Amino acid sequence: MRIRPTPVRATPVHLIPDFPGPPYSGRVTTGGRAIEHGYPHLDTVRAAVHALFKRLSYDTVRTFDTSVLPVDVAFGEEEDLHLGAQRVAGALVRQLHLPDARAVITFRGMEHAANVELTAGPEYFIELNDRFRTHRKDIGAALAHEVTHVALHRLDLAFPGTRDNEILTDTAAAYLGAGWLLLDAYREHGPFSQKLGYLTPEEFGYVLAKRARFFGEDPAPWFTSPQAYDAYTAGAARARQDLRRPPLAGAGWAARLRYAKDRRAAQDPRRTGRPPATAEGYAFEGPSPLRVSFPCPACHQRIRVPVRGRLQARCGLCKTLLDCDT
């Protein structure tokens, strides 16, 4: 892994406070403006999952098959603040397979939730907002985002632009087993709300559902926030839609009808040029022999198969076996 020798300050994670107090920077704040919902960053999230598999490989991704457990990041009220924060940071460092080194945690007043210095090591320097002195339950969530910044930095994996890079960080945290903490920090209580990270709650749920299907690990019992559980349920429903897009055999009848119409058009001998990808993501290539390409529902690598009816295809990147009806 390539390590940049000079320290870099990562863009801090946004904090939306759940109590009246000093203003905090972020796209959403208390008092009149609602937390953003839905899937506005879905294309970037999918690109981030794909980038993880490309950079790490299938075999390495499989080593993240167990998430960080609630018992390892729980923070007791009687526990020393700094020692407890270092203990939680250590659990996240191990979860993300970083070199085992001391995490130096400091607290100070600032408008963001946390900052991290991206250095060659060996120590990890993380600043947390002073609010976490009394809101210790969410220390693990803030640290999950910052430690993931360190992991991606050491992998030399980044997206261009601050927005996309932060979405990559949240997606990596969730997919590699640390980011369920970020979703669990999402709460709405009347006019006061809190959300950590840059993904919407439903987008966190979407990534966690993708992880749950790939690893066979369900994070639902770990959520202490009812709103987080609801967001996970919504995200899981959206993730299931990826399994019902043609030419996958599980596609719905309406999607199958559209696919058949597009297939007939692609086979028309009068057609010239390659038709663009459809809204469902598939694209035909040919016409003879006609082939169709489509994104893998697990890792979003494009798969190309011949158009010849029912068949099975295995994604070369994530090894997922897919039933298709081409």
Side-chain angles (χ1 to χ4, degrees), residues 265-326:
Q267 293 170 324
D268 188 338
R270 296 169 297 178
R271 179 178 65 84
T272 59
R274 177 181 296 182
T278 65
E280 295 284 357
Y282 59 82
F284 290 101
E285 304 172 9
S288 181
L290 188 64
R291 296 181 297 176
V292 63
S293 65
F294 61 97
C296 171
C299 70
H300 307 287
Q301 169 87 344
R302 289 202 72 82
I303 300 171
R304 184 179 291 103
V305 296
V307 175
R308 64 182 187 201
R310 295 296 292 260
L311 55 83
Q312 286 189 321
R314 187 177 296 277
C315 177
L317 186 59
C318 71
K319 314 301 182 186
T320 300
L321 186 63
L322 303 168
D323 290 319
C324 304
D325 188 354
T326 60

Side-chain angles (χ1 to χ4, degrees), residues 202-217:
E202 292 79 14
E203 287 169 340
F204 271 120
Y206 174 86
V207 179
L208 290 170
K210 291 276 189 180
R211 172 186 166 81
R213 182 174 182 83
F214 188 76
F215 291 107
E217 178 192 70

Side-chain angles (χ1 to χ4, degrees), residues 144-231:
H145 182 95
E146 303 307 326
V147 174
T148 304
H149 263 303
V150 176
L152 294 178
H153 177 73
R154 297 193 174 202
L155 287 169
D156 198 21
L157 177 58
F159 279 178
T162 298
R163 168 190 171 275
D164 287 357
N165 202 51
E166 293 297 337
I167 292 170
L168 169 64
T169 303
D170 278 343
T171 302
Y175 204 88
L176 299 181
W180 67 267
L181 289 162
L182 284 156
L183 179 55
D184 197 39
Y186 160 55
R187 292 185 288 276
E188 292 193 64
H189 303 290
F192 304 114
S193 304
Q194 171 180 283
K195 183 179 76 68
L196 294 176
Y198 291 72
L199 299 184
T200 69
E202 292 79 14
E203 287 169 340
F204 271 120
Y206 174 86
V207 179
L208 290 170
K210 291 276 189 180
R211 172 186 166 81
R213 182 174 182 83
F214 188 76
F215 291 107
E217 178 192 70
D218 183 10
W222 302 335
F223 294 123
T224 61
S225 164
Q227 293 89 357
Y229 179 83
D230 291 343

Side-chain angles (χ1 to χ4, degrees), residues 18-325:
D18 61 357
F19 61 96
Y24 290 84
S25 174
R27 297 171 59 192
V28 186
T29 59
T30 59
R33 284 182 289 170
I35 287 176
E36 186 176 24
H37 288 278
Y39 306 92
H41 316 112
L42 193 56
D43 288 343
T44 309
V45 168
R46 288 169 171 166
V49 173
H50 181 239
L52 281 176
F53 274 92
K54 289 279 285 186
R55 182 64 182 87
L56 293 175
S57 81
Y58 165 80
D59 290 333
T60 302
V61 171
R62 289 297 308 183
T63 64
F64 293 87
D65 57 339
T66 302
S67 293
V68 64
L69 296 176
V71 67
D72 294 327
V73 291
F75 208 115
E77 289 298 327
E78 303 301 321
E79 190 171 8
D80 179 83
L81 177 65
H82 290 86
L83 292 179
Q86 289 177 359
R87 176 185 57 78
V88 173
L92 293 166
V93 164
R94 291 187 294 274
Q95 173 64 34
L96 295 173
H97 300 183
L98 285 165
D100 192 11
R102 187 168 69 100
V104 180
I105 312 293
T106 60
F107 295 80
R108 69 176 180 88
M110 54 183 172
E111 61 179 1
H112 297 290
N115 290 316
V116 63
E117 293 290 344
L118 301 179
T119 64
E123 296 178 321
Y124 308 106
F125 297 93
I126 302 174
E127 296 176 321
L128 295 180
N129 193 291
D130 266 338
R131 77 182 294 269
F132 292 115
R133 292 179 181 273
T134 54
H135 290 69
R136 299 183 177 190
K137 179 180 182 296
D138 299 320
I139 284 178
L143 289 174
H145 182 95
E146 303 307 326
V147 174
T148 304
H149 263 303
V150 176
L152 294 178
H153 177 73
R154 297 193 174 202
L155 287 169
D156 198 21
L157 177 58
F159 279 178
T162 298
R163 168 190 171 275
D164 287 357
N165 202 51
E166 293 297 337
I167 292 170
L168 169 64
T169 303
D170 278 343
T171 302
Y175 204 88
L176 299 181
W180 67 267
L181 289 162
L182 284 156
L183 179 55
D184 197 39
Y186 160 55
R187 292 185 288 276
E188 292 193 64
H189 303 290
F192 304 114
S193 304
Q194 171 180 283
K195 183 179 76 68
L196 294 176
Y198 291 72
L199 299 184
T200 69
E202 292 79 14
E203 287 169 340
F204 271 120
Y206 174 86
V207 179
L208 290 170
K210 291 276 189 180
R211 172 186 166 81
R213 182 174 182 83
F214 188 76
F215 291 107
E217 178 192 70
D218 183 10
W222 302 335
F223 294 123
T224 61
S225 164
Q227 293 89 357
Y229 179 83
D230 291 343
Y232 172 66
T233 301
R238 184 64 184 84
R240 286 193 295 272
Q241 291 182 23
D242 292 350
L243 301 169
R244 297 195 292 266
R245 302 167 72 182
L248 297 175
W253 67 270
R256 295 295 311 167
L257 287 176
R258 289 193 297 271
Y259 179 82
K261 179 181 177 181
D262 293 334
R263 182 177 56 200
R264 287 193 299 270
Q267 293 170 324
D268 188 338
R270 296 169 297 178
R271 179 178 65 84
T272 59
R274 177 181 296 182
T278 65
E280 295 284 357
Y282 59 82
F284 290 101
E285 304 172 9
S288 181
L290 188 64
R291 296 181 297 176
V292 63
S293 65
F294 61 97
C296 171
C299 70
H300 307 287
Q301 169 87 344
R302 289 202 72 82
I303 300 171
R304 184 179 291 103
V305 296
V307 175
R308 64 182 187 201
R310 295 296 292 260
L311 55 83
Q312 286 189 321
R314 187 177 296 277
C315 177
L317 186 59
C318 71
K319 314 301 182 186
T320 300
L321 186 63
L322 303 168
D323 290 319
C324 304
D325 188 354

